Short mmCIF file of all heavy atoms in Angstrom, two decimals:
data_model
loop_
_atom_site.label_atom_id
_atom_site.label_comp_id
_atom_site.label_asym_id
_atom_site.label_seq_id
_atom_site.Cartn_x
_atom_site.Cartn_y
_atom_site.Cartn_z
N GLU A 49 0.80 -1.22 0.00
CA GLU A 49 0.00 0.00 0.00
C GLU A 49 0.83 1.27 0.00
O GLU A 49 0.28 2.37 -0.07
CB GLU A 49 -0.93 0.00 1.21
CG GLU A 49 -2.00 -1.09 1.16
CD GLU A 49 -2.83 -1.12 2.43
OE1 GLU A 49 -2.52 -0.34 3.35
OE2 GLU A 49 -3.79 -1.92 2.50
N ILE A 50 2.16 1.15 0.10
CA ILE A 50 3.02 2.33 0.08
C ILE A 50 2.97 2.97 -1.30
O ILE A 50 3.14 2.28 -2.32
CB ILE A 50 4.47 1.95 0.44
CG1 ILE A 50 4.53 1.40 1.87
CG2 ILE A 50 5.40 3.15 0.30
CD1 ILE A 50 5.90 0.91 2.27
N PRO A 51 2.72 4.28 -1.40
CA PRO A 51 2.64 4.94 -2.71
C PRO A 51 3.94 4.81 -3.49
O PRO A 51 5.03 4.75 -2.91
CB PRO A 51 2.36 6.42 -2.34
CG PRO A 51 1.78 6.36 -0.97
CD PRO A 51 2.43 5.20 -0.29
N PRO A 52 3.84 4.76 -4.80
CA PRO A 52 5.05 4.63 -5.63
C PRO A 52 6.05 5.76 -5.42
O PRO A 52 7.26 5.55 -5.58
CB PRO A 52 4.50 4.64 -7.07
CG PRO A 52 3.07 4.18 -6.92
CD PRO A 52 2.61 4.71 -5.60
N ALA A 53 5.56 6.94 -5.07
CA ALA A 53 6.49 8.07 -4.87
C ALA A 53 7.47 7.78 -3.74
O ALA A 53 8.65 8.17 -3.82
CB ALA A 53 5.69 9.34 -4.56
N PHE A 54 7.00 7.11 -2.70
CA PHE A 54 7.89 6.78 -1.60
C PHE A 54 8.78 5.58 -1.94
O PHE A 54 9.89 5.47 -1.43
CB PHE A 54 7.09 6.49 -0.34
CG PHE A 54 6.46 7.72 0.27
CD1 PHE A 54 5.11 7.95 0.16
CD2 PHE A 54 7.24 8.64 0.93
CE1 PHE A 54 4.52 9.07 0.72
CE2 PHE A 54 6.68 9.77 1.49
CZ PHE A 54 5.31 10.00 1.39
N ARG A 55 8.28 4.68 -2.77
CA ARG A 55 9.09 3.53 -3.15
C ARG A 55 10.35 3.95 -3.90
O ARG A 55 11.39 3.30 -3.81
CB ARG A 55 8.28 2.56 -4.01
CG ARG A 55 7.18 1.84 -3.24
CD ARG A 55 6.44 0.87 -4.17
NE ARG A 55 5.40 0.17 -3.44
CZ ARG A 55 5.61 -0.94 -2.73
NH1 ARG A 55 6.83 -1.44 -2.67
NH2 ARG A 55 4.62 -1.53 -2.10
N ASN A 56 10.25 5.05 -4.64
CA ASN A 56 11.40 5.54 -5.41
C ASN A 56 12.27 6.51 -4.62
O ASN A 56 13.29 6.97 -5.16
CB ASN A 56 10.90 6.23 -6.69
CG ASN A 56 10.13 5.27 -7.59
OD1 ASN A 56 10.44 4.09 -7.66
ND2 ASN A 56 9.12 5.80 -8.28
N ASP A 57 11.88 6.82 -3.40
CA ASP A 57 12.65 7.74 -2.57
C ASP A 57 13.76 6.96 -1.84
O ASP A 57 13.48 5.97 -1.15
CB ASP A 57 11.74 8.41 -1.55
CG ASP A 57 12.43 9.55 -0.82
OD1 ASP A 57 13.68 9.68 -0.94
OD2 ASP A 57 11.74 10.31 -0.11
N LYS A 58 15.00 7.39 -2.00
CA LYS A 58 16.11 6.68 -1.37
C LYS A 58 16.04 6.76 0.15
O LYS A 58 16.52 5.86 0.86
CB LYS A 58 17.44 7.26 -1.85
CG LYS A 58 17.65 8.73 -1.51
CD LYS A 58 18.97 9.23 -2.03
CE LYS A 58 19.18 10.71 -1.71
NZ LYS A 58 19.22 10.97 -0.25
N ASP A 59 15.42 7.82 0.68
CA ASP A 59 15.31 7.95 2.14
C ASP A 59 14.34 6.95 2.75
O ASP A 59 14.40 6.67 3.93
CB ASP A 59 14.86 9.37 2.51
CG ASP A 59 15.90 10.42 2.14
OD1 ASP A 59 17.08 10.03 1.97
OD2 ASP A 59 15.54 11.60 2.03
N ALA A 60 13.43 6.43 1.92
CA ALA A 60 12.42 5.52 2.44
C ALA A 60 13.00 4.18 2.86
O ALA A 60 12.36 3.42 3.60
CB ALA A 60 11.31 5.30 1.42
N ARG A 61 14.21 3.86 2.40
CA ARG A 61 14.85 2.60 2.75
C ARG A 61 15.88 2.75 3.86
O ARG A 61 16.58 1.78 4.19
CB ARG A 61 15.50 1.97 1.51
CG ARG A 61 14.49 1.59 0.43
CD ARG A 61 15.15 0.86 -0.71
NE ARG A 61 14.15 0.42 -1.69
CZ ARG A 61 13.49 -0.73 -1.61
NH1 ARG A 61 13.73 -1.57 -0.60
NH2 ARG A 61 12.60 -1.05 -2.53
N ILE A 62 16.00 3.93 4.43
CA ILE A 62 16.99 4.18 5.47
C ILE A 62 16.42 3.80 6.83
O ILE A 62 15.30 4.19 7.18
CB ILE A 62 17.42 5.66 5.47
CG1 ILE A 62 18.17 6.00 4.18
CG2 ILE A 62 18.29 5.98 6.68
CD1 ILE A 62 18.58 7.44 4.08
N ASN A 63 17.20 3.06 7.59
CA ASN A 63 16.84 2.74 8.97
C ASN A 63 17.35 3.88 9.86
O ASN A 63 18.53 3.93 10.21
CB ASN A 63 17.46 1.41 9.38
CG ASN A 63 17.13 1.04 10.81
OD1 ASN A 63 16.27 1.65 11.45
ND2 ASN A 63 17.82 0.04 11.35
N THR A 64 16.48 4.79 10.20
CA THR A 64 16.89 6.00 10.93
C THR A 64 17.17 5.74 12.40
O THR A 64 17.53 6.67 13.11
CB THR A 64 15.81 7.09 10.80
OG1 THR A 64 14.55 6.56 11.26
CG2 THR A 64 15.66 7.53 9.36
N THR A 65 17.00 4.51 12.88
CA THR A 65 17.35 4.20 14.27
C THR A 65 18.81 3.78 14.41
O THR A 65 19.25 3.50 15.52
CB THR A 65 16.46 3.08 14.82
OG1 THR A 65 16.64 1.89 14.05
CG2 THR A 65 15.00 3.49 14.77
N GLN A 66 19.56 3.73 13.31
CA GLN A 66 20.99 3.43 13.40
C GLN A 66 21.73 4.63 13.97
O GLN A 66 21.34 5.78 13.78
CB GLN A 66 21.54 3.08 12.02
CG GLN A 66 20.98 1.79 11.44
CD GLN A 66 21.52 1.49 10.06
OE1 GLN A 66 22.06 2.37 9.38
NE2 GLN A 66 21.36 0.24 9.62
N TRP A 67 22.84 4.36 14.66
CA TRP A 67 23.54 5.40 15.40
C TRP A 67 24.11 6.49 14.50
O TRP A 67 24.21 7.64 14.91
CB TRP A 67 24.65 4.79 16.26
CG TRP A 67 24.11 4.15 17.49
CD1 TRP A 67 23.93 2.83 17.73
CD2 TRP A 67 23.64 4.83 18.66
NE1 TRP A 67 23.38 2.64 18.98
CE2 TRP A 67 23.20 3.85 19.57
CE3 TRP A 67 23.56 6.18 19.03
CZ2 TRP A 67 22.67 4.17 20.82
CZ3 TRP A 67 23.04 6.50 20.27
CH2 TRP A 67 22.61 5.51 21.15
N ARG A 68 24.46 6.15 13.28
CA ARG A 68 25.00 7.20 12.41
C ARG A 68 23.93 8.22 12.04
O ARG A 68 24.24 9.39 11.79
CB ARG A 68 25.60 6.59 11.15
CG ARG A 68 24.63 5.75 10.32
CD ARG A 68 25.31 5.28 9.05
NE ARG A 68 24.44 4.40 8.27
CZ ARG A 68 24.75 3.96 7.07
NH1 ARG A 68 25.88 4.33 6.50
NH2 ARG A 68 23.92 3.16 6.42
N TYR A 69 22.67 7.80 11.98
CA TYR A 69 21.59 8.75 11.71
C TYR A 69 21.10 9.42 12.99
O TYR A 69 20.46 10.46 12.93
CB TYR A 69 20.43 8.03 11.02
CG TYR A 69 20.79 7.45 9.68
CD1 TYR A 69 20.95 6.08 9.51
CD2 TYR A 69 21.00 8.28 8.59
CE1 TYR A 69 21.30 5.55 8.28
CE2 TYR A 69 21.36 7.75 7.35
CZ TYR A 69 21.51 6.38 7.21
OH TYR A 69 21.87 5.87 5.99
N LEU A 70 21.40 8.82 14.14
CA LEU A 70 21.03 9.44 15.41
C LEU A 70 21.98 10.56 15.82
O LEU A 70 21.58 11.50 16.50
CB LEU A 70 20.99 8.38 16.52
CG LEU A 70 19.94 7.28 16.42
CD1 LEU A 70 20.10 6.29 17.56
CD2 LEU A 70 18.54 7.88 16.44
N LEU A 71 23.24 10.45 15.39
CA LEU A 71 24.26 11.39 15.87
C LEU A 71 24.89 12.25 14.79
O LEU A 71 25.39 13.33 15.09
CB LEU A 71 25.38 10.61 16.59
CG LEU A 71 24.96 9.83 17.84
CD1 LEU A 71 26.14 9.02 18.36
CD2 LEU A 71 24.44 10.76 18.92
N LEU A 72 24.87 11.82 13.54
CA LEU A 72 25.54 12.54 12.47
C LEU A 72 24.53 13.21 11.55
O LEU A 72 23.41 12.72 11.40
CB LEU A 72 26.43 11.59 11.66
CG LEU A 72 27.54 10.87 12.44
CD1 LEU A 72 28.29 9.91 11.52
CD2 LEU A 72 28.50 11.87 13.07
N PRO A 73 24.91 14.31 10.91
CA PRO A 73 23.98 14.96 9.96
C PRO A 73 23.82 14.12 8.70
O PRO A 73 24.71 13.37 8.30
CB PRO A 73 24.68 16.29 9.66
CG PRO A 73 26.12 16.03 9.91
CD PRO A 73 26.18 15.04 11.03
#
């Protein structure tokens, strides 16, 4: 059910709970 616009977004596949995304820009 995820819209195609998000499927093509590279950010949609990022696991933002990883420490590099928690601490780094």
Side-chain angles (χ1 to χ4, degrees):
E49 294 176 357
I50 297 176
F54 289 106
R55 290 181 179 275
N56 299 326
D57 190 349
K58 62 181 179 62
D59 294 340
R61 296 185 176 273
I62 293 178
N63 179 12
T64 56
T65 61
Q66 294 178 343
W67 282 103
R68 58 176 176 173
Y69 297 107
L70 294 177
L71 298 175
L72 300 177

